């Protein structure tokens, strides 16, 4: 079964109201104007979710958050629950981004718990995995990624409610990317781990995105790889022409 590509923008901690709404409107207009053979997802900071949702009206662009708490509600100062996200029109949450694993000490166990709660509330998840530069130099890339799949992906994961994002940490925001052959090797190994955990049928249908310095000039090569089913884009998702340029180069009809 062909997996439809997903072009996902992770705005991280960027954009104030004016800039964020202009960006969302610009992307929405371009998605309407062009014919793309892919799904789109935009993940602005929490503060902009409600505003961006309005800008995306009339398009099929999905809205996602960059994190979510596992509890339904209660005494968790500063956190956001899955139901708060669905209430705002979100259909996705990114979980386990390396910036959260590192900055907020998030473990595989916590990430899995968040994913279960998100799925229960009807959210789809983008579960992020990836090795550090040191792990790569030691030849541990595949082991690290497979361990993160076994540890972070919940048993209730399906090809519909879960997307995996492989993001080598050393490639995020650095302008460096692995070779196409390296990316394909890791993605194939991730799919193998998914098959072991969830069964072959689910693994074959589940989308595995590549993330880390994706830009219009490298998107076509990376997204043409057999096991690469889209991209999670940070820096280049903050400019309409770059984000749309990636889709144009990799997913034009
Ligand atoms: P980048 O970030 O595209 O800026 O490298 C990707 C990500 O962290 O999701």
């Amino acid at each position: 079964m062909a997996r439809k590509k997903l072009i996902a923008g992770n705005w991280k901690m960027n954009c104030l109201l004016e800039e964020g709404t202009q960006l969302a409107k610009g992307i929405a207009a371009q998605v309407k104007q062009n014919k793309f053979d892919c799904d789109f997802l935009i993940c602005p900071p929490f503060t902009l979710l409600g505003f961006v949702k309005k800008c995306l009206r009339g398009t099929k662009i999905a809205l996602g958050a960059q994190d979510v708490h596992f509890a339904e509600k209660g005494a968790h100062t500063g956190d956001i629950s899955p139901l708060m996200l669905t209430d705002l029109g979100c259909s996705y949450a990114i979980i386990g981004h390396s910036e959260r694993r590192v900055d907020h000490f998030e473990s595989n166990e916590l990430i899995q718990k968040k994913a279960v709660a998100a799925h229960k509330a009807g959210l789809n998840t983008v579960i992020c995995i990836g090795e550090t530069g040191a792990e790569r130099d030691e030849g541990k890339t595949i082991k690290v990624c497979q361990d993160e799949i076994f540890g972070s992906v919940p048993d209730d994961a399906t090809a519909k409610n879960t997307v995996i994002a492989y993001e080598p940490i050393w490639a995020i925001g650095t302008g460096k990317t692995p070779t196409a052959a390296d990316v394909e090797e890791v993605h194939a190994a991730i799919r193998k781990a998914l098959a072991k955990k969830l069964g072959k049928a689910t693994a074959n249908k589940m989308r595995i995105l590549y993330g880390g310095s994706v830009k219009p000039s490298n998107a076509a090569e990376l997204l043409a790889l057999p096991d690469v089913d889209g991209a999670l884009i940070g820096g280049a998702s903050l400019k309409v022409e770059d984000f749309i340029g990636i889709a144009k180069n990799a997913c034009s009809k």
Side-chain angles (χ1 to χ4, degrees):
M1 198 204 89
R3 295 176 295 264
K4 194 164 190 187
K5 292 205 182 342
L6 175 63
I7 301 295
N10 172 12
W11 292 7
K12 307 193 179 183
M13 198 171 72
N14 292 295
C15 295
L16 299 180
L17 182 55
E18 176 63 22
E19 197 186 353
T21 47
Q22 288 309 321
L23 178 56
K25 280 181 192 163
I27 291 169
Q30 286 292 320
V31 168
K32 276 189 198 163
Q33 265 171 40
N34 293 278
K35 280 201 163 48
F36 293 116
D37 188 16
C38 62
D39 294 329
F40 284 96
L41 166 65
I42 295 183
C43 301
F46 289 123
T47 49
L48 295 183
L49 286 170
F51 298 101
V52 168
K53 180 70 190 169
K54 287 191 186 133
C55 303
L56 300 183
R57 259 187 209 150
T59 75
K60 284 190 179 157
I61 304 172
L63 181 70
Q66 298 170 18
D67 182 40
V68 66
H69 197 271
F70 58 80
E72 268 177 34
K73 61 177 181 177
H76 300 284
T77 303
D79 281 312
I80 305 286
S81 79
L83 286 177
M84 290 171 175
L85 297 181
T86 54
D87 198 30
L88 278 181
C90 287
S91 52
Y92 275 87
I94 297 173
I95 301 186
H97 191 282
S98 59
E99 285 149 19
R100 295 210 60 90
R101 289 182 187 259
V102 174
D103 298 351
H104 299 269
F105 314 104
E106 294 196 3
S107 65
N108 282 330
E109 293 70 28
L110 177 65
I111 290 157
Q112 193 178 63
K113 215 167 155 181
K114 289 182 174 195
V116 169
H119 295 159
K120 195 173 155 215
L123 285 170
N124 302 311
T125 53
V126 179
I127 301 179
C128 302
I129 61 166
E131 83 285 1
T132 62
E135 287 164 342
R136 177 177 189 253
D137 293 344
E138 290 165 27
K140 291 186 186 154
T141 298
I142 287 182
K143 166 102 178 68
V144 168
C145 290
Q146 292 190 328
D147 285 351
E148 287 186 340
I149 290 288
F150 293 128
S152 318
V153 176
D155 293 339
D156 74 358
T158 66
K160 197 182 169 302
N161 69 16
T162 304
V163 174
I164 306 297
Y166 167 55
E167 300 204 303
I169 296 171
W170 54 272
I172 295 177
T174 59
K176 295 185 206 158
T177 52
T179 64
D182 284 349
V183 171
E184 177 53 24
E185 188 192 4
V186 179
H187 277 235
I190 291 168
R191 202 172 299 286
K192 240 188 196 166
L194 289 169
K196 209 165 171 188
K197 188 176 172 77
L198 303 168
K200 216 169 172 184
T202 299
N204 283 341
K205 280 189 262 169
M206 192 170 280
R207 292 188 281 199
I208 306 175
L209 313 184
Y210 169 77
S213 297
V214 176
K215 48 192 176 203
S217 59
N218 61 18
E221 186 188 23
L222 291 167
L223 273 69
L225 296 167
D227 281 295
V228 176
D229 309 311
L232 182 56
I233 304 150
S237 72
L238 296 172
K239 282 199 183 136
V240 177
E241 60 270 32
D242 287 348
F243 188 64
I244 292 299
I246 289 168
K248 277 188 178 158
N249 291 350
C251 310
S252 278
K253 269 199 177 158

